[in-house]
Amino acid sequence: MTGKFITLEGIEGSGKSTSLKDITAILDECSIKYITTKEPGGGPLGSDLRSMLLNKDSKISSEVELLLMMADRKDHIDNLVIPNLKKGIWVLSDRYLDSTYAYQGGGREIDTSVIDRLVDILKLPQPDLTFLFDLPPEAALERAIQRSALDRFESEPIDFHTRIRNAYIQLAKNNKRRFKIIDSSKDFDGVKEQVVKIMSQFLND
Ligand code: TYD
């Protein structure tokens, strides 16, 4: 038996972390074994790569950024995600591959065929279920500003975040089976209700 691979995606301040707790509560109730992890930075190389990628003083090109994200992901998938799935343990990841299509493809405007090629070469698996937490970037950034100092991505102009949101919506349209869109502009209870509904459908499939 293999575990299920669930990913959470969305722009900055879209409420992924809060919903992660709602999902783990449901898995706990069902006595399903799981681990939670995140990208960038979930694998053994993680903390070094994460600080290079998020530090506002890092001067790196979009291509280098893409390759670092992919290096981080390959390390994470091979050393943490796949070994757990093989043992039947579910993996919940705060961000995964769709973040690269949205941020480096949509945000940085790198041709998505380059990303497709890397996915192929690195043999990166698709998740079983992907939550897309969607809300307008203006509202999301407001939340991110209140939370903490802005990192290298959060400090980008609003257009960058709008391109990311649009790329995510397109990804959801192209991958209807695994993507579920959550309206994150709702209050805590409103978001939770949507997440709970999707998780019960997924568990009953
Ligand atoms: P993080 O502090 O984890 O932000 P968040 O709470 O919004 O997930 O920082 C991760 C940042 O890295 C986030 O701005 C998105 C960006 N990112 C990419 O640009 N490409 C990727 O492939 C991944 C995984 C993340």
Side-chain angles (χ1 to χ4, degrees):
M1 189 196 76
T2 57
K4 299 285 183 200
F5 184 23
I6 301 178
T7 58
L8 289 81
E9 297 283 355
I11 58 173
E12 322 294 325
S14 58
K16 292 178 283 100
S17 319
T18 311
S19 293
L20 186 66
K21 293 191 198 109
D22 296 330
I23 299 172
T24 57
I26 295 169
L27 295 182
D28 284 335
E29 268 171 36
C30 300
S31 305
I32 291 173
K33 280 195 183 164
Y34 63 86
I35 57 155
T36 61
T37 181
K38 70 179 300 174
E39 286 192 0
L45 289 178
S47 54
D48 290 346
L49 281 169
R50 191 174 164 84
S51 55
M52 274 184 234
L53 283 161
L54 299 188
N55 189 334
K56 266 210 264 187
D57 301 326
S58 293
K59 299 271 177 286
I60 51 176
S61 68
S62 300
E63 288 74 16
V64 169
E65 183 181 284
L66 167 67
L67 294 172
L68 289 176
M69 289 292 180
M70 285 301 205
D72 175 75
R73 175 160 306 125
K74 181 65 178 161
D75 187 53
H76 183 217
I77 273 288
D78 287 354
N79 292 297
L80 189 78
V81 179
I82 305 268
N84 276 287
L85 293 175
K86 279 191 176 155
K87 284 190 259 174
I89 297 170
W90 291 33
V91 177
L92 309 186
S93 186
D94 184 344
R95 298 195 181 281
Y96 178 60
L97 188 52
D98 298 302
S99 282
T100 299
Y101 282 104
Y103 280 76
Q104 282 65 52
R108 304 282 189 223
E109 300 178 283
I110 293 178
D111 196 317
T112 50
S113 65
V114 176
I115 306 173
D116 289 340
R117 187 85 185 94
L118 288 170
V119 172
D120 237 35
I121 294 168
L122 300 176
K123 299 190 180 61
L124 296 173
Q126 290 292 326
D128 297 296
L129 172 67
T130 299
F131 285 92
L132 170 55
F133 295 89
D134 179 60
L135 83 169
E138 291 80 0
L141 283 176
E142 192 59 43
R143 289 186 189 171
I145 288 167
Q146 280 168 11
R147 204 172 46 189
S148 57
L150 299 184
D151 66 28
R152 203 166 62 81
F153 290 96
E154 289 163 341
S155 317
E156 291 285 344
I158 196 86
D159 288 10
F160 176 76
H161 299 279
T162 303
R163 286 200 299 279
I164 294 168
R165 183 194 191 193
N166 293 340
Y168 268 134
I169 291 172
Q170 195 55 48
L171 281 163
K173 280 191 186 147
N174 296 344
N175 298 276
K176 284 208 178 78
R177 194 195 52 79
R178 77 175 161 93
F179 259 95
K180 303 290 168 202
I181 302 183
I182 303 289
D183 177 356
S184 262
S185 60
K186 297 268 192 318
D187 61 12
F188 277 124
D189 288 345
V191 171
K192 185 173 174 178
E193 203 177 296
Q194 299 172 70
V195 170
V196 169
K197 195 170 158 202
I198 288 164
M199 277 307 289
S200 14
Q201 278 165 357
F202 184 71
L203 288 163
N204 287 323
D205 261 359

